Amino acid sequence: DLVFDLYEESILVPGMEMFGPMNGYMAGDIYGVWYVTGFDIQSDKKVILKVANDLGSENQKMLLTQQSDSTWLLQFQGHQVVKRVKGKKLVKIPSEMLFSAQ
């Protein structure tokens, strides 16, 4: 899941509600919850999201490009640190993913 609101801090991040509303988060088939720490709007169809893990020990930049009204392409920028659990190991997730808007 990728949930964000770049207009205002309006989203409660699961497990981090005590910090109040934020601009968004990424969770699901990944290790932990990653919350939006900042963003840079490149154009009306591109934004760079800056996210950090729930411990605050790692951060990642992601380029989001709107492909259509309901589809976004996510591309990790720089060294990729977002991982998921596979068996008993942490493995990197794909460096590009498509998301559908809901």
Side-chain angles (χ1 to χ4, degrees):
D1 298 338
L2 180 59
V3 179
F4 61 94
D5 179 349
L6 303 182
Y7 295 107
E8 62 182 286
E9 294 177 337
S10 65
I11 298 169
L12 291 175
V13 178
M16 302 180 79
E17 295 86 357
M18 69 288 252
F19 296 113
M22 298 185 192
N23 286 103
Y25 68 92
M26 182 172 63
D29 191 22
I30 58 175
Y31 186 71
V33 174
W34 292 71
Y35 61 96
V36 176
T37 60
F39 57 89
D40 182 18
I41 298 173
Q42 304 286 302
S43 71
D44 61 339
K45 295 197 182 274
K46 289 186 179 186
V47 63
I48 293 179
L49 290 178
K50 298 170 189 157
V51 296
N53 67 357
D54 49 2
L55 300 174
S57 61
E58 295 185 294
N59 55 57
Q60 179 77 60
K61 285 186 182 178
M62 308 179 303
L63 173 64
L64 278 173
T65 306
Q66 187 174 19
Q67 304 290 300
S68 69
D69 285 344
S70 62
T71 306
W72 290 80
L73 174 66
L74 178 145
Q75 297 169 297
F76 290 104
Q77 305 289 295
H79 179 70
Q80 184 179 342
V81 294
V82 179
K83 298 177 181 175
R84 67 181 181 88
V85 177
K86 183 175 182 182
K88 294 183 179 184
K89 294 183 180 181
L90 288 175
V91 296
K92 291 180 183 175
I93 62 174
S95 59
E96 291 187 0
M97 295 183 283
L98 281 174
F99 285 87
S100 295
Q102 295 182 6

